[in-house]
Amino acid sequence: MTLKEALKKVTKENRAYFHYKFPDTRFDQTAQPKTEQEFLASVARKTMNGFKDWEKTLEYAHLVALYLQSKQMDALQKIYKVVEIKALEGDDKAIATLLKLNKEINAMIKGFSTVQDAEEEDDGLEI
């Protein structure tokens, strides 16, 4: 499940809070992030107490984990590009690192395929 899909399943206010907390998840990146008071006014709340309580839930933890996973993938892409350039220049350490990265990426792809196969086999029926 992607972060975008998971955010669709939470309340509008909690989704707005998540975007407030993590501004880089917002659709409109040109808009300035809101202050706490602006955010509270936009969701018609007087305090952040309900949102602070929500931060202690498994639902919020799952969303943060999905967010961090997406950040991790972005970092992996950047690292890969840097290592690839150095490897192509003949840096022995970079070559070894690139080969390890390729092995890890292939393992991730294989893992994704296994998960997709398992999801396709699930007929959705409950016992």
Side-chain angles (χ1 to χ4, degrees):
M1 174 181 294
T2 67
L3 177 60
K4 186 177 180 178
E5 293 168 342
L7 282 170
K8 287 180 183 178
K9 295 180 179 182
V10 301
T11 66
K12 185 178 179 180
E13 291 82 13
N14 285 349
R15 186 177 327 121
Y17 178 72
F18 193 85
H19 291 311
Y20 164 75
K21 238 356 220 196
F22 303 101
D24 58 326
T25 64
R26 293 177 300 132
F27 177 74
D28 184 5
Q29 292 294 308
T30 60
Q32 290 293 321
K34 295 177 182 178
T35 65
E36 183 175 320
Q37 292 306 319
E38 291 170 333
F39 169 72
L40 286 171
S42 73
V43 292
R45 298 260 182 113
K46 293 183 181 183
T47 69
M48 297 290 264
N49 294 343
F51 297 115
K52 296 296 179 186
D53 289 341
W54 182 59
E55 283 186 14
K56 298 171 187 167
T57 66
L58 287 176
E59 180 180 54
Y60 181 81
H62 182 246
L63 291 170
V64 172
L66 288 172
Y67 168 72
L68 294 175
Q69 183 183 44
S70 71
K71 300 293 280 182
Q72 180 184 16
M73 293 309 295
D74 291 343
L76 180 62
Q77 287 177 326
K78 291 174 185 173
I79 292 167
Y80 189 90
K81 287 177 186 177
V82 170
V83 170
E84 182 181 41
I85 289 168
K86 288 184 179 185
L88 292 172
E89 292 172 353
D91 183 330
D92 290 341
K93 214 175 201 180
I95 292 169
T97 303
L98 184 64
L99 292 173
K100 288 177 188 175
L101 277 173
N102 284 333
K103 187 176 180 180
E104 289 295 321
I105 291 168
N106 288 334
M108 283 192 299
I109 290 170
K110 186 176 181 182
F112 294 147
S113 296
T114 304
V115 169
Q116 278 184 330
D117 291 344
E119 288 176 354
E120 287 174 4
E121 289 176 17
D122 183 12
D123 58 10
L125 298 176
E126 293 183 27
I127 298 175

